[in-house]
Amino acid sequence: MKTDIVLAGVGGQGILSIATILGTAALDENLHIKQAEVHGMSQRGGDVQSNLRISDAPIASDLIPIGGADLIVSLEPMEAMRYLPYLKPNGWIVTNTMPFVNIENYPTEEEMASELARHNNVVAFDMDKMAKDLGSPRSSNMVLLGAASPFIQIGAEEIEDGIRKVFGAKGEKIVESNIAAFRAGREFAQNLKKDN
């Protein structure tokens, strides 16, 4: 078992929280993990990216090679596009469709939709709206984690335990709202998978 994940987004969106939760869940399952992060611009709304490798066997490198990612998980559609060269031919893209426009020449929605349409395995929807509809607008990263979870070889219960451990110090209300967001994203992706 091995899952190589590129996590992408913009500073402040919670990409590194996803990496921490998955890492916690993987370690609790006695799996091997390696992680490499790029987040130097995170304070200014810049690119944040993490390579997360999970395996039942030892992992030599913490970096995912071009064409080696099983999954691109992104809270921002342009950031998903940025890392497409890393995706395996049969890999999955799980991305928010709500843009975070932070550059002048940001691609149009049509350009991004056209690029996503070129790939067979895509889960793309407005995760920000789903989080707001759940009454927890800051939990769109947990919606994203939920939507990605069917493609990660760690059980949903184990990931939920990871959420409890990572957010436990913030109180039960925060934990439960993040788990609700995770479950909503997971249900959306599972229903989409059934329809295809």
Side-chain angles (χ1 to χ4, degrees), residues 88-104:
K88 287 180 178 176
N90 61 342
W92 280 85
I93 302 164
V94 181
T95 186
N96 193 354
T97 55
M98 181 56 61
F100 184 97
V101 180
N102 57 356
I103 57 172
E104 284 184 28

Side-chain angles (χ1 to χ4, degrees), residues 134-196:
L134 291 167
S136 182
R138 296 187 63 191
S139 64
S140 58
N141 62 333
M142 293 300 105
V143 173
L144 175 67
L145 177 57
S149 67
F151 314 104
I152 301 170
Q153 295 174 323
I154 298 175
E157 288 182 16
E158 288 74 21
I159 296 173
E160 287 186 16
D161 285 344
I163 292 169
R164 287 184 185 92
K165 287 179 180 176
V166 170
F167 291 114
K170 295 186 177 190
E172 192 60 28
K173 187 175 178 184
I174 298 292
V175 169
E176 290 309 316
S177 67
N178 279 294
I179 288 176
F182 170 82
R183 289 176 179 169
R186 182 175 173 84
E187 182 180 359
F188 182 92
Q190 285 176 319
N191 289 338
L192 191 68
K193 218 173 150 186
K194 283 180 203 166
D195 294 343
N196 290 339

Side-chain angles (χ1 to χ4, degrees), residues 65-133:
I66 298 287
D70 299 291
L71 190 57
I72 293 175
V73 177
S74 182
L75 262 165
E76 207 288 323
M78 188 185 78
E79 294 302 326
M81 305 297 108
R82 184 190 307 265
Y83 296 102
L84 285 176
Y86 288 87
L87 191 65
K88 287 180 178 176
N90 61 342
W92 280 85
I93 302 164
V94 181
T95 186
N96 193 354
T97 55
M98 181 56 61
F100 184 97
V101 180
N102 57 356
I103 57 172
E104 284 184 28
N105 59 344
Y106 193 94
T108 66
E109 286 185 42
E110 294 78 20
E111 289 170 324
M112 288 187 291
S114 174
E115 180 60 39
L116 286 174
R118 294 178 53 232
H119 302 274
N120 293 325
N121 301 329
V122 177
V123 176
F125 64 100
D126 187 342
M127 296 169 190
D128 294 346
K129 181 180 184 316
M130 182 176 282
K132 285 177 190 163
D133 290 349

Side-chain angles (χ1 to χ4, degrees), residues 9-74:
V10 171
Q13 289 186 306
I15 284 295
L16 300 181
S17 293
I18 292 174
T20 302
I21 290 164
L22 288 175
T24 299
L27 290 174
D28 285 349
E29 291 297 294
N30 294 315
L31 297 171
H32 298 267
I33 64 166
K34 291 268 186 173
Q35 182 183 359
E37 299 172 359
V38 176
H39 53 91
M41 294 294 289
S42 61
Q43 312 86 315
R44 291 178 255 158
D47 174 31
V48 176
Q49 179 262 336
S50 179
N51 282 207
L52 184 61
R53 308 187 83 187
I54 302 169
S55 177
D56 57 2
I59 304 163
S61 172
D62 54 357
L63 296 176
I64 298 169
I66 298 287
D70 299 291
L71 190 57
I72 293 175
V73 177
S74 182

